[in-house]
């Protein structure tokens, strides 16, 4: 991976960050202009509203429908999904605790509207609304993102049962996914202009609180990512690979980590992860299922950032994140990570899910704040997501091939 490749993959991210900074400067020195240009950003938000529902449905349903799984593969898939959920939940709980100890925003942003969260519904109603709507039409609204994810997963399983990717519906989902990703790519070309406008208005409205709060959030997030890599990953490797797991993991994880940092993409790291899995001796069918699924479903780093985003906006609103929110925040972090696509920047899907659940009345203000955090934390988050796919293979291999699978793989490699 040469310098030109790194520059190419980070070019758009750099452009987005430049647009945000330029918008902040414009809003600071010319607040009237910042308010005037806001509609240019609202246009982008509305365009994304129109594409996010079909994109989530197509990408998730196609991913599940395309899995060619039967007996052993079914065991691999079940273990993989369970491991993704558990590690994501662990990451979300860790970040929730950190946010309680070190809040990202110390002073509320003046005039930012507050909203009671979850007080209007009982626990039973929240559980029902988390996973379902009372009508199919309700799934077509951006306010029902989590029920849409659940529906999409089940639709994908149903398609898999009747023929999967070879069925006419499977082919339709594959084509629809390609079209929707191209659609998002077209809209994204407008994003720098939109975020210049959004942040010009944001700073014009809330002033210097914006920059200081983002800086504090990054000081917390970046060290935590590296602490997680050097503590949680060795633990997972030991659980999956036994006494040789930690040493072997550190021998092979560097390339996926560097590749993910250089490309800022989980999907682009798939070939490297598969190559390292083969060199490690991980069973091929395990790696072939875990790594591609992990590119869109294994998002420990994104779970970190999801909790950070929720705590950040709540702090800006002057609302404390109570311990009673822990189950809801962890559930949203884990389930919304399924909707993240393996492309640079995450496709903004997670931000919409967070807004639709926690900040539906403040979405025009909350969305650009969340996307800004997403762009700032994207490189280390992608590194945790992608390198973690390789580590999860250890756990899945232990379940499918026994606790001594790595010992056998090492012995076979030495016998050659």
């Amino acid at each position: 991976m040469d310098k030109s490749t790194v520059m190419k993959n980070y070019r758009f991210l750099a452009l987005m960050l430049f647009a945000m900074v330029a918008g902040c400067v414009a809003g600071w020195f010319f607040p009237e202009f910042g308010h005037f240009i806001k509609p240019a950003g609202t246009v982008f938000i509305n365009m994304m509203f129109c594409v996010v529902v079909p994109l989530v449905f197509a990408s998730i349903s196609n991913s599940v429908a395309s899995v060619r799984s039967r007996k052993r593969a079914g065991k691999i898939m079940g273990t993989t999904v369970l491991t993704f959920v558990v590690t994501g939940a662990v990451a979300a709980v860790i970040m929730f605790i950190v946010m309680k100890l070190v809040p990202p925003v110390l002073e509320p942003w003046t005039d930012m509207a507050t909203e009671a969260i979850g007080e209007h519904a009982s626990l039973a109603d929240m559980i029902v609304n988390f996973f379902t709507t009372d009508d199919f039409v309700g799934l077509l609204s951006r306010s029902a993102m989590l029920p849409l994810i659940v529906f999409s997963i089940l639709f994908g399983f149903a398609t898999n049962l009747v023929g999967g990717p070879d069925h006419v519906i499977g082919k339709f989902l594959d084509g629809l996914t390609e079209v929707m990703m191209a659609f998002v790519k077209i809209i994204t070309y407008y994003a720098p202009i939109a975020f210049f406008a959004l942040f010009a208005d944001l700073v014009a409205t809330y002033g210097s609180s914006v920059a200081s709060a983002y800086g504090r959030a990054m000081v917390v997030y970046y060290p935590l990512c590296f602490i997680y890599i050097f503590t949680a990953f060795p633990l997972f490797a030991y659980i999956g690979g036994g006494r040789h797991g930690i040493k072997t993991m550190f021998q092979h994880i560097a390339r996926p980590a560097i590749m993910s940092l250089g490309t800022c993409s989980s999907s682009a790291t798939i070939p490297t992860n598969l190559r390292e899995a083969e060199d490690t001796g991980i069973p091929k069918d395990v790696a072939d299922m875990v790594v591609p699924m992990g590119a869109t479903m294994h998002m420990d780093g994104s779970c970190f950032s999801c909790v950070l985003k929720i705590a950040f906006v709540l702090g800006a609103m002057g609302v404390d994140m109570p311990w009673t929110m822990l189950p809801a925040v962890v559930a949203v972090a884990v389930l919304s990570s399924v909707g993240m696509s393996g492309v640079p920047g995450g496709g903004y899907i997670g931000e919409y899910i967070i807004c639709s659940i926690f900040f539906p009345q403040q979405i025009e203000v909350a969305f650009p704040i969340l996307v800004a955090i997403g762009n700032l934390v994207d490189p280390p988050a992608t590194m945790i997501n992608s390198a973690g796919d390789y580590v999860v293979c250890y756990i899945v291999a232990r379940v499918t091939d026994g606790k001594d699978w790595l010992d056998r793989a090492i012995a076979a490699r030495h016998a050659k």
Side-chain angles (χ1 to χ4, degrees):
M1 185 174 58
D2 56 27
K3 292 183 179 179
S4 62
T5 302
V6 175
M7 289 300 297
K8 179 180 179 181
N9 288 305
Y10 274 94
R11 187 181 303 155
F12 187 77
L13 178 59
L15 181 60
M16 285 286 291
L17 293 176
F18 174 78
M20 292 177 186
V21 172
C24 290
V25 173
W28 180 263
F29 288 103
F30 308 101
E32 292 300 324
F33 172 75
H35 295 312
F36 173 78
I37 201 174
K38 180 184 177 182
T42 305
V43 168
F44 173 78
I45 294 177
N46 289 343
M47 285 193 296
M48 290 299 298
F49 283 162
C50 296
V51 74
V52 66
V53 170
L55 173 61
V56 169
F57 169 73
S59 61
I60 295 178
S61 296
N62 181 58
S63 176
V64 177
S66 299
V67 175
R68 300 181 181 274
S69 59
R70 286 297 181 264
K71 193 172 182 180
R72 173 178 162 85
K75 186 177 182 180
I76 295 173
M77 183 177 180
T79 306
T80 300
V81 173
L82 178 61
T83 305
F84 289 167
V85 170
V86 171
T87 60
V90 168
V93 171
I94 290 173
M95 179 56 85
F96 190 96
I97 295 172
V98 171
M99 291 294 96
K100 292 294 293 182
L101 296 175
V102 190
V105 181
L106 298 179
E107 296 292 336
W109 296 2
T110 306
D111 298 329
M112 188 168 184
T114 60
E115 175 187 14
I117 298 173
E119 296 179 356
H120 60 283
S122 66
L123 177 61
D125 289 336
M126 289 181 65
I127 293 174
V128 170
N129 295 334
F130 235 56
F131 298 104
T132 61
T133 64
D134 59 2
D135 196 346
F136 176 77
V137 177
L139 293 172
L140 305 180
S141 168
R142 59 180 168 83
S143 63
M145 294 302 297
L146 290 179
L148 176 65
I149 289 176
V150 174
F151 178 85
S152 301
I153 292 172
L154 295 177
F155 191 91
F157 275 122
T159 304
N160 190 280
L161 290 174
V162 298
D166 297 325
H167 193 273
V168 61
I169 298 298
K171 295 177 180 177
F172 167 76
L173 290 173
D174 185 54
L176 181 60
T177 300
E178 291 185 12
V179 170
M180 296 314 301
M181 293 305 298
F183 197 159
V184 171
K185 187 176 182 180
I186 293 172
I187 297 174
T188 302
Y189 287 135
Y190 177 67
I193 299 174
F195 280 90
F196 173 85
L198 289 168
F199 273 82
D201 176 70
L202 204 62
V203 172
T205 304
Y206 303 114
S208 61
S209 300
V210 175
S212 61
Y214 280 129
R216 180 179 172 85
M218 295 308 102
V219 168
V220 173
Y221 186 87
Y222 274 71
L224 182 62
C225 286
F226 287 95
I227 292 173
Y228 186 79
I229 289 175
F230 287 100
T231 55
F233 281 10
L235 175 62
F236 298 154
Y238 178 77
I239 293 172
R243 60 193 180 96
H244 295 298
I246 297 176
K247 179 180 178 181
T248 305
M249 184 269 293
F250 277 120
Q251 288 174 341
H252 292 272
I253 202 172
R255 288 188 64 187
I258 294 171
M259 177 62 72
S260 60
L261 277 175
T263 61
C264 214
S265 169
S266 295
S267 292
T269 312
I270 288 176
T272 303
N273 266 329
L274 291 175
R275 190 180 310 117
E276 294 303 316
E278 181 181 0
D279 292 344
T280 302
I282 294 170
K284 187 176 186 303
D285 56 352
V286 170
D288 284 348
M289 185 171 294
V290 173
V291 172
M293 286 180 64
T296 55
M297 294 180 66
H298 185 223
M299 298 284 172
D300 292 1
S302 300
C303 288
F304 274 159
S305 64
C306 179
V307 179
L308 173 64
K309 292 168 186 175
I310 294 170
F312 192 100
V313 176
L314 286 174
M317 293 165 55
V319 178
D320 180 46
M321 187 167 64
W323 286 104
T324 55
M325 283 186 65
L326 178 61
V329 170
V330 172
V332 170
V334 173
L335 291 175
S336 66
S337 69
V338 177
M340 302 280 190
S341 56
V343 298
Y348 309 126
I349 297 174
E351 284 77 9
Y352 280 105
I353 294 173
I354 294 170
C355 286
S356 68
I357 297 296
F358 294 103
F359 314 110
Q361 304 303 318
Q362 288 82 25
I363 193 166
E364 287 196 7
V365 176
F367 176 72
I369 294 174
L370 299 182
V371 171
I373 296 174
N375 281 322
L376 292 170
V377 305
D378 199 33
T382 303
M383 180 177 64
I384 290 179
N385 296 340
S386 301
D389 297 341
Y390 167 77
V391 180
V392 168
C393 289
Y394 283 51
I395 298 176
V396 178
R398 172 168 183 160
V399 173
T400 58
D401 291 78
K403 63 181 181 179
D404 60 343
W405 70 270
L406 184 55
D407 294 335
R408 297 197 305 269
I410 294 174
R413 185 163 60 248
H414 289 163
K416 291 182 179 179

